[in-house]
Amino acid sequence: MYNEEQLIKAIEQSFKMYKLYGARSTAKLKPIHKFVADTLTEIYGKSFEVHFMGDETKEMTVDGKYYPKNIDITVTKNGEVVFCLGIKFVTSNYKQNANNYFENMMGETANIQALGNLSYAQLIILRHETPYYKKNETETPSKIEIVNDKDIQKYLNLVFDYPQAHRPNYIGIQVINVNEVANKVALTNLDNSFSAETSKLLNGKLSLTNFFKEISEYKDFLITKE
DNA sequence: AATGGGCCTTCAAAGAAGTA
DNA sequence: TACTTCTTTGAAGGCCCATT
């Protein structure tokens, strides 16, 4: 099941790779993707297959309602897709691109869930203090952006919307603090950083503990249909 | 088996628009 | 008018596949 320590280690590894190889390298993706894939493998068990981008493995192309798309993590049973999950780990310049991230995620979700027979989940990792870099100045940030309630609100609006194709069935959000010098990652103390209400939701409904719990329950449901 | 063009995807970054 | 947010554009990596 979900292991918080492992998550932090995976994010730390991903962040290291990001610093080492840059934003464009897939090296950044692999540790965190592997962590999620491993967690899903544990949840789903031997009769399911988990596809993701690893050193030996590739992402799966899923036929969406509108177009085929590579999905970060795909769970299949006998080759048939039963569950999809997308991951986003933003390391810089968040506010400038926040709408793009959100809209892309909705589009991807709709493309999959509009098929009608499978579930899509989105895992989002944000830095509470996110550096903003200008081009060719990737060493010293020109400012630090604070991820706040408003940045989270759009995701709350979405996850509590009534069920329709573009609403992911599961959203998990983890806000982190990164020590750039030591390459250390810590989970943000939400109570000090967000309103009481937002904090409560981030600690509850949107927490990764609950995220994987709900995914696990969905798997239990899938089994009952066999 | 190597080379390289074309295309897709992701992650920014610049400039525009909005707002206090 | 300075700061924030939004929209559009660009850059780079990787994959597919034709050509050699």
Side-chain angles (χ1 to χ4, degrees):
Chain A
M1 266 307 277
Y2 168 62
N3 180 317
E4 190 173 281
E5 262 181 60
Q6 296 287 96
L7 169 83
I8 292 171
K9 276 185 186 159
I11 297 175
E12 272 173 4
Q13 276 306 113
S14 280
F15 185 75
K16 261 187 214 169
M17 295 295 109
Y18 158 71
K19 280 299 194 187
L20 223 48
Y21 299 105
R24 298 283 180 320
S25 169
T26 50
K28 169 192 169 186
L29 307 178
K30 284 179 181 172
I32 184 68
H33 283 214
K34 182 169 191 323
F35 164 78
V36 174
D38 287 349
T39 303
L40 289 183
T41 300
E42 222 174 289
I43 288 173
Y44 272 87
K46 284 194 172 66
S47 55
F48 294 81
E49 307 89 41
V50 179
H51 309 261
F52 67 105
M53 154 92 59
D55 291 328
E56 309 292 322
T57 58
K58 286 170 58 177
E59 286 178 356
M60 184 172 179
T61 304
V62 178
D63 289 329
K65 176 101 181 224
Y66 311 109
Y67 57 96
K69 183 95 169 63
N70 289 345
I71 303 295
D72 287 345
I73 319 274
T74 308
V75 180
T76 61
K77 173 138 197 179
N78 305 320
E80 193 184 341
V81 179
V82 297
F83 181 69
C84 293
L85 189 153
I87 303 168
K88 189 159 283 297
F89 176 22
V90 181
T91 43
S92 77
N93 299 39
Y94 174 69
K95 303 242 182 186
Q96 193 172 42
N97 299 298
N99 285 2
N100 293 346
Y101 296 137
F102 186 82
E103 288 166 12
N104 289 346
M105 165 231 199
M106 267 202 312
E108 180 159 332
T109 302
N111 187 37
I112 297 299
Q113 290 193 161
L115 290 168
N117 59 342
L118 53 96
S119 208
Y120 190 88
Q122 192 86 18
L123 170 59
I124 296 150
I125 301 166
L126 300 176
R127 300 174 65 172
H128 180 229
E129 297 176 346
T130 311
Y132 179 89
Y133 297 111
K134 289 183 174 173
K135 196 171 193 176
N136 301 327
E137 291 175 33
T138 50
E139 288 303 313
T140 320
S142 67
K143 62 178 170 182
I144 298 291
E145 300 171 334
I146 305 295
V147 169
N148 57 28
D149 285 84
K150 185 173 160 299
D151 297 314
I152 302 296
Q153 188 64 46
K154 53 167 74 75
Y155 291 99
L156 296 177
N157 293 343
L158 183 62
V159 77
F160 286 105
D161 201 353
Y162 59 88
Q164 46 193 326
H166 71 260
R167 190 204 72 176
N169 284 340
Y170 315 98
I171 299 182
I173 298 181
Q174 183 64 65
V175 185
I176 61 169
N177 290 80
V178 179
N179 179 328
E180 295 254 359
V181 179
N183 277 330
K184 279 287 175 190
V185 169
L187 306 189
T188 300
N189 185 332
L190 300 167
D191 299 319
N192 301 337
S193 313
F194 298 94
S195 72
E197 295 76 20
T198 303
S199 173
K200 191 174 173 188
L201 288 167
L202 286 174
N203 275 319
K205 165 82 172 166
L206 299 190
S207 71
L208 297 212
T209 301
N210 186 61
F211 180 70
F212 285 111
K213 177 168 167 281
E214 289 188 8
I215 288 171
S216 179
E217 287 166 357
Y218 177 69
K219 171 248 166 184
D220 293 340
F221 159 72
L222 279 181
I223 297 291
T224 66
K225 295 202 296 184
E226 289 175 0

